[in-house]
Amino acid sequence: MTDIPTWTIREAGEGDAPALALIGAATFLETFAGILDGDAIVGHCAAQHNADAYIAYFANGARAWIAEAQPGGAPIGFALTGNPDLAAAREGDIELKRIYSLSRFHGTGVGAALMKQALEAASGHDRLLLGVYARNERALAFYRKQGFVDIATRQFDVGGKLYDDLVLARPLAA
């Protein structure tokens, strides 16, 4: 019998910024090591996955939900929504800026549970948008299963090198 990891989800706040930064950096490294340049990953995580970056998201009206392993409450994933900064965005859209979980928890339903929180928070908006690395097949399969469709492409800068991203949208019921 294998031990299936268990977790809980709660809404996160500014006080959770260090945990969000830790998860963000850990999952970015875990996902892109061996794909993107190592120095670029380190630089990107230092700039984008630090507590101040997440505090700034909250200051701009973002909402987040954190998944915590049980027992113990160690942070293992999160979702973050906020005002879109994607060129494909239009009036009435909201963006899923981050949805991450440690790979050990893939397949436990944590991703779907975090997505459910983001979708509930997006209620009243026209579409939920997100950007994803065009070659991240696992993430693309997850998003498409969740009802997202391709609407645009963009270039994403990691350490001064540009990578191709897809911009996806999920229409939301009014």
Side-chain angles (χ1 to χ4, degrees):
M1 185 167 144
T2 52
D3 290 329
I4 298 173
T6 59
W7 43 264
T8 57
I9 294 177
R10 64 174 175 81
E11 188 154 3
E14 193 173 293
D16 294 301
L20 300 179
L22 177 65
I23 299 162
T27 56
F28 197 88
L29 175 63
E30 186 176 60
T31 300
F32 295 111
I35 297 170
L36 307 181
D37 179 70
D39 289 338
I41 292 171
V42 171
H44 175 80
C45 289
Q48 301 299 317
H49 296 291
N50 63 64
D52 289 341
Y54 288 95
I55 289 169
Y57 277 123
F58 286 118
N60 288 319
R63 290 182 68 193
W65 300 265
I66 189 167
E68 297 169 323
Q70 298 304 328
I76 54 99
F78 73 92
L80 176 80
T81 61
N83 295 322
D85 61 5
L86 297 166
R90 55 187 193 216
E91 186 77 25
D93 289 342
I94 188 167
E95 183 179 349
L96 179 60
K97 302 222 175 248
R98 309 265 192 277
I99 185 166
Y100 296 141
S101 69
L102 297 176
S103 63
R104 177 174 164 226
F105 292 86
H106 290 175
T108 67
V110 70
L114 288 167
M115 181 64 77
K116 182 178 183 222
Q117 294 296 319
L119 288 166
E120 287 174 6
S123 177
H125 290 86
D126 296 332
R127 301 183 302 174
L128 180 61
L129 306 180
L130 61 87
V132 60
Y133 180 49
R135 292 172 45 194
N136 188 340
E137 295 301 326
R138 181 181 183 90
L140 286 166
F142 172 76
Y143 296 137
R144 290 186 174 126
K145 183 177 179 183
Q146 296 290 325
F148 286 84
V149 296
D150 300 24
I151 61 165
T153 59
R154 71 169 179 175
Q155 298 265 274
F156 188 75
D157 185 329
V158 177
K161 187 172 179 185
L162 296 176
Y163 296 90
D164 293 328
D165 268 10
L166 295 175
V167 178
L168 309 180
R170 177 176 165 168
L172 302 170

